[in-house]
Amino acid sequence: MDEPRSIPYWRLLTGVNRTQNWRRLKLAVSRSRLHAFLMGLFVIGYALLAFGMFHKGLQFTSSFPGLGPVLIERMMFLLFAFLFLLLLLSNVIINFTNLFRNRETHFLLTLPVPHQVVYRWKIFESGILASWAFLFLIAPLVIAYGTTHDAPWHFYLVTPVFVALFVVLPGVLGSWAALGLARWLDRLAFQVAAMLVVVLVIVAISSWLQPETVTDEMLETRVLDVVDRLLARTRFSLFPYLPSYWVSSGITQWVEGAVMGTFFFGLVLLSHTLFFGYLAMTKSGGLFFTSLSAVNSRGGGVGWKFWKRSAGAGQALGQAAFQPKLLDRLAKFFWWGRADSRALIIKDIRTFLRDTTQWGQSLVLLGLLVAYIMNLRYFSHRLTSDFWIDLTSYLNLGACALNLATLTTRFVFPQISLEGKRVWIVGMAPLGMRRVLLTKFLFSTAVSMTVTMILVGTSCAMLSVTLDRIVYFTVTVGVMSFTLNALAVGLGAVYPNFREENPSKIVSGFGGTLCLVLSFLYIVGMVALMAVTSRWAFGGSSTLAFWTGWMFFLCISFLLGWLPLRAGIRRMTNLEV
């Protein structure tokens, strides 16, 4: 179909989605003003708090004569370099889901709409979904950077233009990567190879980012030479062919008054954005349809051939299909659990493993946490003051707990809703909805508690803290695991969404937002409480204050976990299926 005839389709899709989103927003506000209030309060609170912290930090860094501007400039280059990598990864995941696992995409392809228009709309939608959170997170930092350097008013107009052009490139490249991965991602050999490559990349990056140790001989030289050697591992952000370099250079030069330099990097960014954007908008529709056809026409592959060899000529299809698999045989080792509960756990594990986006995102989060912990051993060697050791240990506890809250909100909260329209099958089974909820809670708590306690214990050992404090932090994060899983499962049962099959959209509802906000407030409050009443940190406290703080922590953790879980049990007990 000719391109001029595709313009009305694009306008129609844009108008329909804009109208639908506006009606959903008004409906959400009218149905739950508490949700709208919490969202607005969280957005405003984060913006103000982040701006204040970034502004104070930049002011403190810039107070060092000669050294501060160098560190701040390198920080800006690192910010946009990592932002480019994270946006690229996020666009790959979201584009893969939106292009190949989305019902709306398949529905649009049955209509007389050109493939190019469908692809164009989906990468536009994926780009917005992948970019808005990152832009919201870095906006306070960019504003604080401008206020610290007394930037003119037009700095706040030029910067959004640079950032808007910048986010187009990872969106286009991520969509093309998703088209390539779609042909191979569902194959077991490719999944295993991809996991091995990810592990090797994480190990290589962790070892490569090891900072250089400062010796006494180095301190006798010029300060800038020492700083340059310490920041040697960050020179990749100064590679001139990275889009992040163009954005960072344009923003920093505009603040410094080098208008022609900003104009040059702006034209470089604009030319690349127009070129790759034109290819994506006009020449990639056929490749998208070919990849989608390959995904939808994929056969049984190796599994089918294995069944043909093992089934035998006289064996029926039904008898071969219900042979015990590996997970069924492994589940028999847990003899203390009931058979129906084990079957539910096996079903959830298989559902999780079959969804590439689910285990892919969890693997990325765990990989980032492992890379963070592996680098702690290099950081701990430079901590000589008790104050910094205490502060780092509690910041480490908070980082691990926040990562746990991300996992529980993203993967545990949607568990009830993901039963979907088939929830009546589970509800009519002898297992019952109450035991379904408790089984999901116990399984998710056991897995997350085991992993998190091991990571926290390992990270505390790398920080060279004493054994009693390692036990203290490990038990603390174990209690937090119980609370966060109970909160996620309970709120997921109280606010289910059986009509949506996308976990990301389930989490973005009122229940997911409330779960995220409560988890964040709980972690910040409890970590601060544990630090204030600690017997070791910041000068220590009395034994009475320590045990009072610990009992208060246990009571808050129990109530914040048990009350939503109890409400979820009541909701599932009275659920009409």
Side-chain angles (χ1 to χ4, degrees), residues 23-255:
R23 290 177 178 176
R24 289 173 183 172
L25 179 62
K26 292 195 300 184
L27 183 62
V29 173
S30 61
R31 284 186 175 180
S32 178
R33 297 186 181 274
L34 178 61
H35 181 205
F37 174 75
L38 288 176
M39 286 293 296
L41 183 64
F42 182 76
V43 169
I44 296 175
Y46 166 79
L48 295 177
L49 179 62
F51 172 76
M53 295 178 63
F54 288 137
H55 186 70
K56 290 292 184 181
L58 291 176
Q59 281 187 335
F60 175 77
T61 306
S62 61
S63 62
F64 296 96
L67 180 61
V70 176
L71 294 177
I72 293 178
E73 182 180 4
R74 186 62 58 89
M75 182 193 66
M76 293 298 295
F77 280 90
L78 284 174
L79 168 68
F80 283 99
F82 282 109
L83 179 63
F84 178 77
L85 296 177
L86 292 176
L87 281 175
L88 182 61
L89 178 62
S90 179
N91 275 281
V92 171
I93 296 175
I94 295 179
N95 272 288
F96 180 82
T97 305
N98 229 8
L99 293 174
F100 304 103
R101 300 291 177 85
N102 189 282
R103 288 187 174 183
E104 184 184 9
T105 304
H106 292 81
F107 170 74
L108 290 175
L109 291 174
T110 62
L111 302 178
V113 180
H115 307 150
Q116 185 63 51
V117 175
V118 177
Y119 175 75
R120 183 186 307 171
W121 169 250
K122 284 303 171 181
I123 64 172
F124 174 76
E125 185 181 42
S126 302
I128 293 178
L129 292 175
S131 304
W132 75 266
F134 291 99
L135 300 180
F136 173 70
L137 292 175
I138 69 168
L141 176 58
V142 176
I143 297 176
Y145 175 79
T147 55
T148 303
H149 290 78
D150 296 327
W153 61 270
H154 42 75
F155 167 81
Y156 305 100
L157 299 179
V158 174
T159 302
V161 176
F162 270 83
V163 175
L165 295 175
F166 168 71
V167 297
V168 174
L169 295 177
V172 173
L173 298 178
S175 67
W176 289 345
L179 295 181
L181 289 175
R183 296 174 175 268
W184 308 96
L185 196 57
D186 287 340
R187 301 186 180 185
L188 181 60
F190 181 82
Q191 294 175 0
V192 174
M195 293 180 63
L196 293 177
V197 170
V198 169
V199 172
L200 293 177
V201 169
I202 291 176
V203 173
I205 293 177
S206 300
S207 60
W208 183 75
L209 289 177
Q210 177 183 356
E212 186 174 353
T213 304
V214 180
T215 60
D216 296 335
E217 292 78 8
M218 293 176 56
L219 293 176
E220 296 177 357
T221 60
R222 297 175 63 249
V223 176
L224 291 180
D225 294 338
V226 176
V227 174
D228 187 63
R229 294 186 62 179
L230 290 177
L231 299 178
R233 304 303 186 190
T234 65
R235 291 177 182 172
F236 71 92
S237 61
L238 302 179
F239 186 63
Y241 293 102
L242 282 177
S244 59
Y245 178 81
W246 309 331
V247 179
S248 305
S249 299
I251 293 176
T252 54
Q253 292 192 22
W254 187 271
V255 172

Side-chain angles (χ1 to χ4, degrees), residues 419-429 433 577:
E419 299 294 338
K421 298 179 180 179
R422 300 171 297 275
V423 69
W424 67 270
I425 301 177
V426 182
M428 299 298 291
M433 293 302 300
V577 294

Side-chain angles (χ1 to χ4, degrees), residues 22 70 128 210 214 244 305 375 411-412 481 485 548 568 575 577:
W22 175 247
V70 176
I128 293 178
Q210 177 183 356
V214 180
S244 59
K305 297 178 182 178
N375 282 276
F411 300 106
V412 178
S481 300
N485 279 278
T548 301
L575 182 67
V577 294

Side-chain angles (χ1 to χ4, degrees), residues 431-449:
L431 183 65
M433 293 302 300
R434 182 178 182 274
R435 286 188 51 220
V436 167
L437 183 67
L438 292 177
T439 301
K440 290 178 179 290
F441 163 67
L442 293 176
F443 176 69
S444 60
T445 302
V447 174
S448 60
M449 184 180 294

